[in-house]
Amino acid sequence: MNIFTRFVKSLYSPKEVAKYRFLGIGKTIFYVFIIMFISILPGIYHFSKMAATALEEGKQVFLEDLPSFTISNGDLISKQSSPIIIPKNNVTIVFDPTGDLSTNDVQEKGNSVGLLKHEFVIVANGQVQTFPYTALENMKVTNKDIDSFINSLKGVMWIAIPIIFLFYYLFVSALGFIKISIFAGIGALFAQTLGRKLSYRQGWRLSAHSITLSTIFFMLMDLLNTGVPGGMFIDWFVSLLFLYLTIREIPKPKIDA
């Protein structure tokens, strides 16, 4: 049975998946790698799009929206006499060479980037990262320098992104194998409760296919940028329910008269 057929049947048929307990372990491991790759495709798409957009908007912000400035000796220097706040699509830019605003003021803007008097601030999903200008040591940075830096980033972005996602893919795959291994142990308990004969290795094969439905569902939600409350609970519940129904389809061992 080819991998596409197994994939489709793993979306709706516990009875068919029950037959996969005799599948070769190599084919099962390959299937897991394919499923994990499919699961990160929306992330690859959204991250690549966001990175390209961020570079374009960053170029516009530093060259057109912000006044001329220089970062030197640990300070942001500009002729601008008052703070500037620029709302963008998904982020707010805060520019303050006066020292009137603090990191907390930037954090209150939600997802934001702040060029403050003495530090650079990034706020993403409530997490705050600050970078003091003193880290630049004796370097002098201007708008034009940042523009050149952004242009250089564009040149390496399409090399860096595949490398980043290769490591991300390996990380997600490792988590997938751990989850399947846990499910295989739970599957052994299901088999004992249902009076079915199932080894751990067979349970691992069934678990690898039982996560398909939940994985594809959350992949589609990621593609649509739609959050799912209690996502991890739903993921585990659906996968374990599918595994339970699959094990129930295994014939009971014959009892000698």
Side-chain angles (χ1 to χ4, degrees):
M1 184 178 296
N2 63 51
I3 192 170
F4 179 76
T5 302
R6 280 192 284 133
F7 169 76
V8 173
K9 291 187 175 181
S10 294
L11 292 172
Y12 69 90
S13 179
K15 185 175 182 179
E16 288 296 320
V17 172
K19 301 175 183 177
Y20 301 160
R21 66 190 185 277
F22 301 118
L23 196 68
I25 189 62
K27 291 182 178 180
T28 305
I29 290 174
F30 180 68
Y31 182 83
V32 174
F33 276 118
I34 294 297
I35 288 295
M36 293 300 104
F37 179 73
I38 291 173
S39 73
I40 69 169
L41 287 178
I44 294 175
Y45 169 75
H46 289 306
F47 181 84
S48 301
K49 183 179 179 181
M50 181 191 70
T53 302
L55 289 178
E56 287 298 328
E57 289 192 351
K59 187 179 180 72
Q60 178 186 348
V61 166
F62 285 109
L63 288 183
E64 300 177 15
D65 297 338
L66 294 181
S68 297
F69 66 84
T70 302
I71 298 175
S72 179
N73 296 322
D75 290 331
L76 175 65
I77 302 168
S78 174
K79 294 181 180 180
Q80 179 68 26
S81 59
S82 61
I84 298 175
I85 298 175
I86 304 172
K88 289 291 183 180
N89 291 333
N90 298 308
V91 67
T92 299
I93 310 298
V94 178
F95 180 81
D96 177 30
T98 67
D100 292 342
L101 301 181
S102 66
T103 300
N104 290 335
D105 294 317
V106 178
Q107 187 175 7
E108 290 175 357
K109 304 297 181 183
N111 292 336
S112 53
V113 173
L115 282 84
L116 303 184
K117 179 65 177 177
H118 305 293
E119 60 189 357
F120 180 72
V121 181
I122 297 177
V123 181
N125 296 324
Q127 301 297 314
V128 181
Q129 296 290 333
T130 61
F131 305 90
Y133 300 137
T134 51
L136 298 174
E137 297 181 345
N138 296 322
M139 293 179 61
K140 184 178 180 180
V141 179
T142 66
N143 303 55
K144 292 183 178 180
D145 294 325
I146 294 178
D147 176 53
S148 299
F149 177 68
I150 290 175
N151 287 333
S152 66
L153 283 180
K154 287 182 178 180
V156 302
M157 183 176 67
W158 302 115
I159 299 175
I161 287 179
I163 295 174
I164 291 171
F165 273 99
L166 174 61
F167 284 102
Y168 178 60
Y169 171 55
L170 293 176
F171 175 73
V172 170
S173 296
L175 292 181
F177 278 101
I178 292 172
K179 182 168 75 171
I180 290 167
S181 298
I182 294 172
F183 284 1
I186 298 174
L189 297 178
F190 287 163
Q192 186 177 8
T193 302
L194 294 168
R196 265 62 169 184
K197 186 177 180 180
L198 185 74
S199 67
Y200 179 82
R201 289 183 299 176
Q202 291 175 337
W204 202 93
R205 292 171 171 87
L206 297 185
S207 298
H209 292 82
S210 296
I211 68 171
T212 304
L213 177 61
S214 178
T215 300
I216 297 304
F217 170 76
F218 282 99
M219 183 274 290
L220 292 174
M221 292 299 100
D222 289 342
L223 187 63
L224 298 172
N225 266 333
T226 303
V228 180
M232 182 177 177
F233 172 79
I234 296 174
D235 177 26
W236 281 54
F237 176 78
V238 171
S239 297
L240 288 174
L241 177 61
F242 199 101
L243 177 62
Y244 177 85
L245 296 175
T246 298
I247 294 173
R248 197 174 67 174
E249 293 294 336
I250 298 175
K252 289 185 176 181
K254 294 181 180 180
I255 300 176
D256 296 332

